[in-house]
Each structure stands twice: as C-alpha cells, then as structure tokens.
Amino acid sequence: MFITGVKDSIEAELIIKSSKKIPYFFSAVSMAVENKNYLLGVGIDLTEIKKIEDALRKNEEKYRTIYENAVEGIFQTTPDGQVISANPAMAHLLGYDSPEELIKGIKDLKKQLYVSFEDRDDFINEVISKKKVSGFEVQFYRKDSSIMWASIHARPIYDENNRLKLIEGLLADITEQKQATEELRQREAYLRKENISLRHNIKDRFRFGKIIGKSPAMQEVYGMILKASASDANVIIYGESGTGKELVAGAIHEISNRSNQRFVPVHCGAIAENLLESEFFGYTTGAFTGADKDKSGYLNHADRGTLFLDELGEISLAVQVKLLRMLEGKGFIPVGGNETKHTDIRIIAATNRNLIKNVEKGLIREDFFYRIHIIPIHLPPLRERREDIPLLIEHFIKTLGQKKAIPPLTGKMLEILLNHRWPGNVRELQNVLYQYIALNKFDLVDSSSSAEPESIHIYSDNTTESQKTFHEALANFEKKLILNALEQNRWHREKTAASLGLPARTFFRKMKKHGLIRQK
C-alpha cells in the first residue's frame, strides 16, 4: 500500500564516475510502504540545456547591447502610432531623454507621432501589402513639436488570428538631407526663373556684365554663360589671346551660387614651373629653404568659390596629377606637409591652345582633360564679329576718355578700325584707343597682307581732311551691314533680323531710318 508523501526538487552538481561535475536536476517524493519509508526520485542531465541557456543569454546580451547602443532608432508601435517599446536612440531622435519618457509622453499627452494621418495610413498599408518596407519617408513630431523627417525600415507582426498587432523597425533621421535637397530645389527653381528672365532680356542687349557685344556669336556666348552659371560643373573657355576669357569667367562666377565667395584668378603661364606646386597647394614651415612659415595656396584661397586657371596648357603633368586628385574628392597635401586638406572648388579654365592635340602629344593628361572639359565655351575672335566693333569703340572712348577732352574719331579712322584683322582681338582695340586718347595719336599695325612687311598708319588729331564724324560713320556702317544682310537673305526681313540678332520691330525701325526699300 502506497501512502503519498512530500515531493521536492532541486538543481545541483552531480559527480559522475570520471569525477567530472555535471549540472543535474533531481525530483523526488517520500513514501511509506508497509511501515517502511522510501524515497522515489528521477534525475535529468542538464548539460545540453545549460549550454543552450548560456548561448541564449549571451545572444540576448549581445542584441541588448546593439539595441541600447544603436545609432538608428529601433521601435515597436501599434497600428495607430502608439509607441510600445523603443531604444534610447529612438527617444533621443524625437527629443526625449529616455524610452520611458517617450512612451509615457505620447500616451499621457495623447500626442500623434505622425504629422500626417494620410502618411501614417500609407505607411501601414505599405507594410501590410509588402510585408517589409525599406526607406519609407515620413514626418514625425518631436517632443518640442518641431518636425523630423525620418526614413523607416519596418515589418508587420500579426497575432494568432492573423490581425496586425505591431509594427517594428528601424528609423533614421534624414531632416538635414531633406532640408539640403529642398534648398537645392529652391535654388535650382530660382536659377531657372532667373535664367529665363535673363535669356529674354539679353536678346536685345549690347552687353552682358562687363562684356560688350550684340552679334549672334556673342549672343551664343551669353547663353552658354547662363547655362554654366546655373551649374556647378567645371568650365573650359577657348579663345584667342585678347578675346576676354577672364571677363567670361568672372561673369559666370558673379551670377552663380558661389558669387558671395572668392573668384581667384591664376595666370599659369606667369608662374615658374618649379613654383607651380607650392603656389597651388601651399607649403609648411621648413618645406624648403626660405619657407619660414606656413603659406596657403590658391586652393585654400578659392575654397567654396571659383578658381580661374588662365593658360591651362602651361600646367605641368605632375601638378595635373595632384589637381586631378583634388577634383576627385581625395584632397591635397601642402608641400612639406603630411595632412590631407579638402576644399570645395569650382574650376573655370581658359586656353588659347587646342587641348585635344595637347592630349595626343602627352602634354595634358586625358583624365585631367575630361575633368575640366565639361562645359566648353568658345569665344569668337574680333574679326568674326565685326558688327560689335562700333559698340566696343564707343564703350572704350567713353570709359577711357572720361577725364580728358579728346578729338572725335573721323570716318576714315573708323573705316580702318572696321577693316583691320585684329590679331590681338579686343585687347588690341583697347590699346589702340587708349594710345589715341593718351597721345592724341592714331597708330595701327596693318598686318592684313602677309606678302608685304607690316606698315604703320599714323593719324593725328589735327588732320584737315574733310571727313565724316564718328556717329555719321557709325550710321553708314550700320546701313551697309543691314543692306548686306538683307541681300544675303534675299530681302526676307524676319530672317535678316534673326541673323543679326535683332528683334523684328527694332530691325524694321532701322530699315526705315536708313531708307532701305527693296527695288523691284
């Protein structure tokens, strides 16, 4: 006969035959049989179970460490947006001191986590339909009611009845990126609007900033300046010496989003080759004899602004390699230094050489060329835009002769100026007029004939020859220019106006002024 006794259990270490101790679970019950007491029990070896528990504990500690120290917010919320659990990063991102304050604050104040209920519903529907959401962008309220843009990676959790119970996931703050993107969008919209306005206005303009000219060739240049100023890409300006490459570079800088920073011109051909590297990258104290203190280079001076490299073809291959490294975002090291510096620079380069031929000759690195040659602008020589010569003459006469009474240019002088080939381009024209104003003497080198030696035509201000005044000669030139254009376009007035870069109404007015009527 069995009589129920006391049952008990315990975990302890059991010494087995090999003297090894193993974790063991004992469960026993005492009983009396025929007036004798017995102990009936069972035992279970817990070695494997303990290993599994230990592994689980270590994993839990590891994931707890990740959970507590993660930079991203980790959360669980109900479908209506109530936070059930969160890690410290989630709380800090939303402006709370702890996860407990976050959960309690939203619950007690009945605050809505999502700024827009529509966004919340879109997020939930996407989680349910896709089972996993990556990079969903939504706005959350912070504790101080400010708005935070967040990127969420999440998945749904269902209950036993397959109903959505929780949503859990990771959250990252992308507010700064969103603000930067919005600022860029607004800046682009502003530039597009300004671009359209400028394009509309320059069609009938005689100048663009400090650049003078109304010819179709210069109108194309103005259009390229606008395109370049709306971009942050590097620019290369091609043109003969004296065509105004630095003026174009300055115009691009002045209407770009870098206009409030420095425009640093560098005339590469004027720097000795052994000084190029130290001039561009700067140097540290003791880098070479005479380097008694640190000196910043052109790259430092132009940081966040524009670096204008005139005569680009004069840069050595060694300096090209280091400039290329900087353009690729890897920074540069000053001469004698060991610390890499980084700058934000837009490069506008200029040259009167054929850079493609220089690449073929090995004088320009191909990878460097393609880093610079992104937006090319070609400036026409003065001989290809003769219709701008009167405008340039009038401009230089006004600006150079403001403080001095000067004799007017005669019709003969203007004729010579209009017919000259101008190998030195606008700079040569400026120098001729400056000499005329300063010395009252008109000297011009005539190089139109290569078969004969160059001769010099000299005109003084006391000529007694009966000649037309400057404005009469200018009007005569304008009439001849319009007449030639009409004949080239078979007297099609609209086409002729377009070829001269003039609005139709302005062109018709000038035809009437000069009495230009087609003879039948």
Side-chain angles (χ1 to χ4, degrees):
M1 180 178 181
F2 289 83
I3 301 173
T4 304
V6 179
K7 184 178 180 181
D8 201 358
S9 60
I10 189 172
E11 284 188 22
E13 290 183 331
L14 177 67
I15 301 175
I16 59 178
K17 183 178 179 180
S18 65
S19 299
K20 182 180 178 181
K21 295 179 181 180
I22 62 171
Y24 215 76
F25 176 80
F26 297 94
S27 180
V29 61
S30 61
M31 61 182 65
V33 179
E34 297 179 354
N35 297 322
K36 291 183 179 181
N37 292 325
Y38 294 92
L39 187 63
L40 180 63
V42 294
I44 302 173
D45 185 354
L46 299 178
T47 302
E48 293 303 321
I49 295 175
K50 288 294 182 181
K51 287 181 179 178
I52 294 172
E53 288 180 349
D54 188 54
L56 288 172
R57 179 181 55 78
K58 289 180 179 179
N59 284 335
E60 184 179 351
E61 289 176 356
K62 181 175 70 174
Y63 288 114
R64 173 57 61 180
T65 300
I66 294 173
Y67 181 79
E68 295 290 339
N69 297 292
V71 176
E72 296 84 2
I74 303 174
F75 66 90
Q76 283 187 332
T77 67
T78 60
D80 63 356
Q82 288 296 318
V83 179
I84 301 300
S85 67
N87 69 336
M90 176 76 174
H92 295 156
L93 288 173
L94 292 170
Y96 294 88
D97 293 331
S98 66
E100 293 74 23
E101 184 189 8
L102 166 65
I103 296 169
K104 186 174 185 298
I106 292 178
K107 185 176 181 180
D108 290 354
L109 298 177
K110 296 182 180 180
K111 291 184 68 176
Q112 166 63 24
L113 183 62
Y114 295 86
V115 171
S116 167
F117 287 100
E118 184 177 346
D119 289 347
R120 180 198 67 185
D121 294 340
D122 289 344
F123 171 62
I124 294 170
N125 291 334
E126 191 163 341
V127 171
I128 294 172
S129 62
K130 294 185 177 180
K131 308 300 182 186
K132 185 179 180 182
V133 173
S134 297
F136 189 93
E137 295 183 359
V138 68
Q139 289 178 299
F140 284 155
Y141 281 118
R142 292 191 179 98
K143 180 183 177 181
D144 60 3
S145 298
S146 64
I147 294 174
M148 179 188 81
W149 272 99
S151 174
I152 306 177
H153 302 264
R155 68 182 184 90
I157 298 176
Y158 297 92
D159 61 17
E160 61 276 6
N161 297 317
N162 203 32
R163 292 178 300 189
L164 182 63
K165 180 181 179 182
L166 297 172
I167 295 174
E168 65 178 11
L170 299 174
L171 175 147
D173 184 358
I174 59 169
T175 306
E176 289 187 4
Q177 296 94 308
K178 276 289 186 180
Q179 289 174 344
T181 301
E182 178 61 20
E183 288 174 3
L184 181 60
R185 187 194 65 78
Q186 291 178 359
R187 176 65 184 174
E188 288 177 345
Y190 169 77
L191 285 175
R192 281 196 297 270
K193 183 178 179 181
E194 192 175 66
N195 233 320
I196 293 170
S197 175
L198 285 170
R199 285 181 186 278
H200 177 75
N201 291 331
I202 66 173
K203 289 182 179 179
D204 195 34
R205 288 179 57 171
F206 291 83
R207 65 188 302 157
F208 190 104
K210 297 178 181 179
I211 307 167
I212 306 296
K214 195 184 176 184
S215 62
M218 291 308 296
Q219 296 297 322
E220 289 184 17
V221 171
Y222 297 161
M224 289 302 298
I225 290 173
L226 290 172
K227 289 179 181 179
S229 65
S231 168
D232 209 31
N234 295 328
V235 178
I236 179 73
I237 305 171
Y238 295 98
E240 296 179 6
S241 178
T243 50
K245 296 186 286 294
E246 187 168 347
L247 288 179
V248 171
I252 294 171
H253 174 79
E254 286 301 320
I255 57 175
S256 73
N257 58 2
R258 294 175 180 264
S259 59
N260 59 342
Q261 302 297 333
R262 290 179 179 175
F263 175 80
V264 180
V266 180
H267 301 283
C268 304
I271 306 173
E273 186 173 349
N274 62 327
L275 296 178
L276 275 172
E277 187 173 348
S278 60
E279 290 296 313
F280 272 106
F281 308 112
Y283 55 79
T284 59
T285 304
F288 47 81
T289 303
D292 53 355
K293 61 179 180 180
D294 291 354
K295 180 184 176 183
S296 298
Y298 294 129
L299 299 187
N300 291 105
H301 294 310
D303 188 22
R304 292 180 296 171
T306 302
L307 182 66
F308 173 60
L309 301 180
D310 197 8
E311 300 181 43
L312 181 71
E314 301 295 332
I315 297 179
S316 67
L317 291 171
V319 175
Q320 289 176 36
V321 171
K322 295 188 177 182
L323 283 175
L324 180 64
R325 178 181 173 84
M326 182 273 296
L327 290 172
E328 291 174 342
K330 299 175 183 176
F332 66 94
I333 300 175
V335 176
N338 52 24
E339 180 183 349
T340 300
K341 295 186 175 183
H342 294 271
T343 52
D344 174 20
I345 292 174
R346 199 257 183 101
I347 287 183
I348 301 178
T351 183
N352 57 9
R353 299 186 180 186
N354 187 327
L355 291 188
I356 295 179
K357 287 186 177 179
N358 281 8
V359 171
E360 294 171 353
K361 294 176 182 178
L363 300 175
I364 297 286
R365 289 177 59 96
E366 186 175 19
D367 47 6
F368 179 71
F369 169 78
Y370 285 113
R371 278 286 181 178
I372 298 294
H373 188 92
I374 297 177
I375 301 179
I377 299 177
H378 297 269
L379 294 188
L382 188 55
R383 62 184 172 274
E384 293 181 7
R385 56 180 187 109
R386 292 184 183 276
E387 57 267 53
D388 292 331
I389 292 176
L391 301 175
L392 290 163
I393 293 172
E394 189 171 16
H395 168 72
F396 290 135
I397 291 291
K398 285 181 179 178
T399 55
L400 297 175
Q402 286 180 344
K403 298 181 180 180
K404 182 179 180 181
I406 59 172
L409 284 170
T410 66
K412 182 64 175 177
M413 293 177 183
L414 182 59
E415 183 180 353
I416 292 171
L417 292 173
L418 292 174
N419 292 327
H420 186 58
R421 283 189 56 79
W422 298 112
N425 292 293
V426 179
R427 186 184 294 122
E428 182 187 359
L429 173 62
Q430 182 181 16
N431 291 341
V432 167
L433 293 174
Y434 184 78
Q435 185 183 51
Y436 177 70
I437 293 168
L439 304 176
N440 288 341
K441 189 174 182 181
F442 186 79
D443 288 358
L444 186 63
V445 175
D446 183 3
S447 58
S448 59
S449 174
S450 58
E452 299 178 2
E454 294 181 348
S455 59
I456 300 177
H457 301 271
I458 303 177
Y459 299 87
S460 63
D461 60 325
N462 60 355
T463 178
T464 58
E465 197 176 0
S466 177
Q467 297 170 335
K468 296 178 181 178
T469 65
F470 172 78
H471 290 289
E472 289 173 335
L474 187 61
N476 186 50
F477 173 77
E478 183 179 69
K479 180 178 179 179
K480 288 181 179 179
L481 179 68
I482 293 174
L483 184 59
N484 288 337
L486 282 166
E487 290 174 350
Q488 289 175 6
N489 289 280
R490 298 183 179 181
W491 285 80
H492 191 293
R493 297 188 302 172
E494 285 76 11
K495 286 184 179 180
T496 306
S499 70
L500 292 174
L502 292 172
R505 291 180 63 183
T506 302
F507 180 72
F508 298 155
R509 187 173 65 250
K510 289 181 180 293
M511 283 187 65
K512 184 177 180 180
K513 168 187 170 184
H514 295 299
L516 294 174
I517 302 173
R518 186 176 187 180
Q519 301 297 323
K520 296 183 179 180

